[in-house]
Amino acid sequence: MHAVSFGGMEFSVRIFFIQILEKLLPISKKRKDRMIAGGGMGGYGALRAFLAEPENYGEAAAWNPHLGMEKRYEKHLSPDLRYTFGERKAWKNSGNDLFYLAEQHKGQNGSVMGKIRIQWESGWADREEAERLAELCRKNGNDVMASEETVRKDGPVSDVWEFYDQMLCRWLLEKREEWGK
């Protein structure tokens, strides 16, 4: 989660976490070396962090990310959603709106802003939203890979966590090859 609202104050969990990791581990402070990823709501959060603060991440990956948040908000208007995201009327054109953030996240003079990977399972509800977001990010200077994935030839995965695990492993193996093992 990028930020949570507590009584009008914003506490950035992500920034705090990065600062802790930088103190504990020998991680690169270079944007190009930093990636963020997640599945489902975590996929939404990864894309949100990548688009909201492009200076921190060179790459993002999201598997079955929850992209139709405004529609979900209408169906499930619960205290949990209000607590995390604020009032629904404040959603559009805010830091919670991935399409708004993608519009702000533009490369200069044709430069590539970063790499984005969005992958989903066959039949996933937010496929159209993912394709629309991918196209907007591509238009604004990001290197985007968006695709429907089949992880098992004998049918769909038994649960969504199996899909996330397999997609994450594929991505990390590709990164390992890219980085030269």
Side-chain angles (χ1 to χ4, degrees), residues 59-130:
E59 190 167 346
W63 302 286
N64 287 356
H66 290 217
L67 300 177
M69 291 301 291
E70 202 165 2
K71 292 175 192 166
R72 280 186 174 81
Y73 209 106
E74 286 175 11
K75 287 182 182 178
H76 309 286
L77 191 56
S78 70
D80 293 338
L81 287 176
R82 270 193 230 109
Y83 178 76
T84 304
F85 299 109
E87 292 300 321
R88 184 189 177 283
K89 64 184 173 194
W91 184 276
K92 194 135 185 86
N93 298 324
S94 76
N96 294 318
D97 181 345
L98 294 180
F99 293 92
Y100 172 78
L101 291 172
E103 196 57 53
Q104 308 307 306
H105 186 103
K106 294 182 181 179
Q108 301 292 323
N109 302 319
S111 66
V112 174
M113 290 296 297
K115 293 181 182 179
I116 300 174
R117 173 185 292 234
I118 304 173
Q119 294 173 296
W120 58 87
E121 293 177 275
S122 177
W124 175 57
D126 288 344
R127 180 187 57 79
E128 289 178 13
E129 296 278 324

Side-chain angles (χ1 to χ4, degrees), residues 9-21:
M9 294 176 60
E10 194 168 275
F11 175 74
S12 182
V13 174
R14 186 188 37 70
I15 295 296
F16 181 66
F17 188 64
I18 288 173
Q19 290 171 350
I20 289 173
L21 288 176

Side-chain angles (χ1 to χ4, degrees), residues 94-167:
S94 76
N96 294 318
D97 181 345
L98 294 180
F99 293 92
Y100 172 78
L101 291 172
E103 196 57 53
Q104 308 307 306
H105 186 103
K106 294 182 181 179
Q108 301 292 323
N109 302 319
S111 66
V112 174
M113 290 296 297
K115 293 181 182 179
I116 300 174
R117 173 185 292 234
I118 304 173
Q119 294 173 296
W120 58 87
E121 293 177 275
S122 177
W124 175 57
D126 288 344
R127 180 187 57 79
E128 289 178 13
E129 296 278 324
E131 290 172 342
R132 191 166 64 93
L133 181 64
E135 187 54 39
L136 178 60
C137 289
R138 198 175 285 118
K139 182 185 100 183
N140 289 337
N142 290 284
D143 179 5
V144 180
M145 191 276 270
S147 64
E148 182 171 275
E149 294 294 321
T150 303
V151 292
R152 289 187 2 194
K153 293 180 182 171
D154 59 343
V157 292
S158 59
D159 67 38
V160 72
W161 293 105
E162 184 180 346
F163 176 74
Y164 297 158
D165 287 347
Q166 290 188 24
M167 292 295 96

Side-chain angles (χ1 to χ4, degrees), residues 166-180:
Q166 290 188 24
M167 292 295 96
L168 177 61
C169 287
R170 282 185 192 176
W171 186 52
L172 291 175
L173 286 171
E174 289 171 18
K175 294 284 110 193
R176 182 177 162 194
E177 287 178 21
E178 184 181 311
W179 296 329

